[in-house]
Amino acid sequence: MSEQNSDSSTSESEISACSSNFDPLKALYSAKTKIPVENAPMYENLAQYEIAQKKKDVIPVGHSEQVRKREEEKERKRLQEEKELQEKNKQRFAKYQGMMPTVRRLKKTKNLLTRIEQMEGPLGVLKDCVDQRLRIKVITRNERGIRGDLHATLIAFDKQWNLALCDVLETWKRKGPKKRKIPPGLGTPVPKGTAAAISPV
């Protein structure tokens, strides 16, 4: 009885989706509601519907046949690609062709000689000495001061100022022997190897 009363009180404009007086609540409970498009696809949410409008590859809910066909198409493409890849490998490694030579890219070797070419500043002066085979003077030091000097031809060097030299002429200062100090009032020292005469007191 209540359903008949609700149907009688519901007008067609309220349950028509194309009408401006459309009432969704009455359309859900009315038996007279007509779907505008009977075969319209159903999607799980609004985001899926928007993707389907853009990409056209989203399958609606309830179309299991289309899902099965799509999976079969993917499997067929995968098998076709594997077959083409196997065919390419057979052609590449065929007996009449042999192994294809692989071209190796040579890496730029970095060593001391290549880095010398890029030296700048004070090290650039040493680079000029190496290129022109000039003789240089190197002063050596010790803990007390200047020890000596070297006159040599520079062959190579690095950024830590380690030098490789040839035709080296080295001069240095050698410290002389210390003289024995005589305490005052003791007279001359007795040389070694001689016996000292001891006089009785």
Side-chain angles (χ1 to χ4, degrees):
M1 186 69 180
S2 60
E3 292 180 359
Q4 293 178 358
N5 293 334
S6 62
D7 291 343
S8 60
S9 62
T10 302
S11 62
E12 292 184 359
S13 61
E14 291 178 343
I15 60 176
S16 176
C18 300
S19 175
S20 59
N21 298 327
F22 176 69
D23 189 351
L25 185 61
K26 290 184 178 181
L28 286 174
Y29 291 99
S30 176
K32 299 179 181 180
T33 303
K34 294 181 180 180
I35 300 175
V37 182
E38 295 182 358
N39 297 326
M42 293 186 299
Y43 298 97
E44 295 181 356
N45 48 45
L46 186 60
Q48 191 178 19
Y49 170 75
E50 292 178 351
I51 295 173
Q53 295 299 317
K54 294 178 181 179
K55 297 184 178 181
K56 306 294 184 181
D57 60 348
V58 179
I59 299 176
V61 178
H63 293 69
S64 58
E65 186 67 21
Q66 294 184 12
V67 175
R68 185 180 61 80
K69 288 182 179 180
R70 185 175 66 177
E71 295 298 328
E72 290 178 355
E73 183 69 18
K74 287 183 179 180
E75 184 67 18
R76 187 183 63 80
K77 287 183 179 180
R78 186 183 66 81
L79 294 175
Q80 183 67 21
E81 290 176 356
E82 289 182 357
K83 186 176 179 180
E84 291 177 357
L85 182 61
Q86 291 177 359
E87 189 66 25
K88 288 181 180 179
N89 290 335
K90 287 181 181 179
Q91 294 178 1
R92 182 180 178 185
F93 299 107
K95 292 182 180 180
Y96 61 87
Q97 184 179 2
M99 297 292 292
M100 295 182 65
T102 57
V103 179
R104 294 184 179 180
R105 295 181 179 179
L106 298 177
K107 295 183 179 180
K108 293 183 179 180
T109 57
K110 292 183 179 180
N111 52 29
L112 181 62
L113 298 178
T114 57
R115 289 177 179 174
I116 286 177
E117 300 297 330
Q118 303 174 358
M119 295 295 182
E120 297 179 353
L123 294 175
V125 178
L126 293 180
K127 175 181 173 296
D128 295 337
C129 295
V130 173
D131 295 339
Q132 301 175 15
R133 304 289 293 178
L134 299 178
R135 290 184 66 81
I136 62 173
K137 179 181 179 181
V138 182
I139 298 175
T140 58
R141 297 178 60 88
N142 56 17
E143 67 275 5
R144 291 185 296 272
I146 296 176
R147 175 182 175 274
D149 53 28
L150 305 172
H151 295 267
T153 303
L154 181 62
I155 298 176
F157 63 94
D158 60 6
K159 62 182 180 180
Q160 283 83 20
W161 291 82
N162 297 316
L163 307 178
L165 307 173
C166 68
D167 300 333
V168 182
L169 176 62
E170 182 178 5
T171 57
W172 69 92
K173 296 179 181 179
R174 179 180 293 177
K175 195 172 183 180
K178 293 183 179 180
K179 292 183 179 181
R180 186 177 178 185
K181 293 183 179 180
I182 303 171
L186 294 181
T188 58
V190 178
K192 292 182 179 180
T194 59
I198 302 174
S199 59
V201 178

